[in-house]
Structure formats: C-alpha cells, structure tokens
C-alpha cells in the first residue's frame, strides 16, 4: 500500500478485521460509535446502506486524508429485520424464525474520504437454514456466540452448522463483501500487500 493512502476500518467487528486482513489490505481500526437505529418503514437495504455511510463519514471526518470503510450487516426474514439479539429469549426467537427458512443477509459498505462518500453499495446473500431442534437452539445460545451477530448466528462459527445452502457471497454473510470492497479500494489506489 502506498504510504500516502491510509485505510481505516470503522468497525469493531472481529469478523470484518479477519476478512480485510485475509485480503491483505493494511488498515487501522477506529470505531465509529454510531448508534444503529432503524427508522420505522425504512427498507432493509436502505437501512444497511445508511448505517454504512454514516459510520464511514463519522470516522472520515476525523481522519480526512484516510480512506475509511464503513459497513453494516442485517438479516431479513419474513420481512422482519433481525439485528443483534438483546438477550437469550430474543436469540431463541430469531433462531426459531430462521429454522427451515431462507433469509436474506444484507451487508452494505461505504468508502469515505474527507467526510464525503466515495462510493457505497448494499450486497445481498440468501441463506437457507436446515431444521433446528429446540435443544440445538438452546445449546447454541449457551455458547454466547449469537449475541454480537445480526440474526443471532455466525456463519464462520458453530452457527455455520445450521446452514443448508448459501446463495451469494459467504464473506458478505460474515459481515464484509470482501471481493467488492477490495475492488472498490483498488479504484482509489489501495492494493493488497
């Protein structure tokens, strides 16, 4: 990466760190501290894109010379947005809803520089769960894995065993459409090292 281009990931997500690092992009992490609040009636893609853009702009305003990556992931099932569960009962509700169904994972990303959006895009993947038993759901909740993940599961962890099929980017389901982000960064002179 040229010394003149600093990249910042505006996310505390360890999964996004892992994905961007595996793509061999050099970056620093600065949390945006943006509250994630859905506006009533806001379509899922619009919500994810707004959050990604807001996160990128918030950090970019503080580091105007850097290219900042903002991202947000939501799960949509039966027209309901499933964010991070608030407690075990909420996680159980979400996992029960996802059992035997196909749902959509929307991860939006945005690149910003100087407090302005360079580009942004929402990416969708479709995920089908196999049928889950109540015991599987309870055992999974007991691992604490569901609590920091949209839809109460992680494809890269134990929750990956619940998935029968993924249509689209697996990285997108983890929280960052890596191929799209790396291609976007390349358009602004950032290359893998």
């Amino acid at each position: 990466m040229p010394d003149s281009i600093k990249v910042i990931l505006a996310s505390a997500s360890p999964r996004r760190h892992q994905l961007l690092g595996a793509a061999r992009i050099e970056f620093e992490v600065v949390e945006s501290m943006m509250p994630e609040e859905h506006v009533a009636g806001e379509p899922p893609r619009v919500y994810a894109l707004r959050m990604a853009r807001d996160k990128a702009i918030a950090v970019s305003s503080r580091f105007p010379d850097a290219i900042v990556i903002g991202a947000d992931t939501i799960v949509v099932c039966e027209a309901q947005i499933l964010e991070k569960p608030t407690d075990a009962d909420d996680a159980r509700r979400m996992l029960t809803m996802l059992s035997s169904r196909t749902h959509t994972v929307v991860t939006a990303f945005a690149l910003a520089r100087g407090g302005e959006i360079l580009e942004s895009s929402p990416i969708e993947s479709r995920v089908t769960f196999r049928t889950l038993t109540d015991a599987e759901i309870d055992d999974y909740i007991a691992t604490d894995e569901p609590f920091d993940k949209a839809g109460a599961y992680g494809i890269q962890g134990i929750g990956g065993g619940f998935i029968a099929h993924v249509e689209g980017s697996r990285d997108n389901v983890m929280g960052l459409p890596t191929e799209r982000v790396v291609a976007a960064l390349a358009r602004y002179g950032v290359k893998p090292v």
Side-chain angles (χ1 to χ4, degrees), residues 29-163:
V29 173
V30 177
E31 289 186 59
S32 70
M33 308 308 285
M34 291 294 300
E36 296 180 6
E37 297 175 4
H38 181 249
V39 175
E42 186 176 37
R45 289 171 59 100
V46 173
Y47 172 41
L49 189 57
R50 177 177 57 82
M51 290 308 312
R53 292 170 62 96
D54 287 354
K55 291 173 184 179
I57 289 172
V59 174
S60 179
S61 296
R62 297 184 348 234
F63 300 90
D65 295 330
I67 293 179
V68 177
I69 305 164
D72 193 65
T73 301
I74 58 171
V75 171
V76 183
C77 184
E78 303 286 314
Q80 291 185 41
I81 294 175
L82 307 180
E83 298 187 77
K84 296 173 186 171
T86 55
D87 57 25
D89 288 338
D90 196 29
R92 187 173 294 103
R93 175 188 66 80
M94 290 183 197
L95 292 165
T96 300
M97 177 184 282
L98 296 174
S99 178
S100 302
R101 287 192 174 100
T102 299
H103 60 276
T104 302
V105 177
V106 180
T107 298
F109 77 91
L111 301 185
R113 190 176 214 172
E116 300 289 331
I117 295 297
L118 299 172
E119 65 179 88
S120 59
S121 181
I123 312 299
E124 291 187 5
S125 299
R126 293 181 49 78
V127 179
T128 302
F129 266 33
R130 62 176 175 78
T131 301
L132 306 180
T133 66
D134 290 343
E136 284 178 308
I137 291 171
D138 290 341
D139 289 348
Y140 184 55
I141 290 169
T143 69
D144 289 335
E145 185 177 285
F147 295 108
D148 69 337
K149 295 167 184 69
Y153 77 93
I155 192 172
Q156 73 287 352
I158 300 165
F162 299 156
I163 296 171

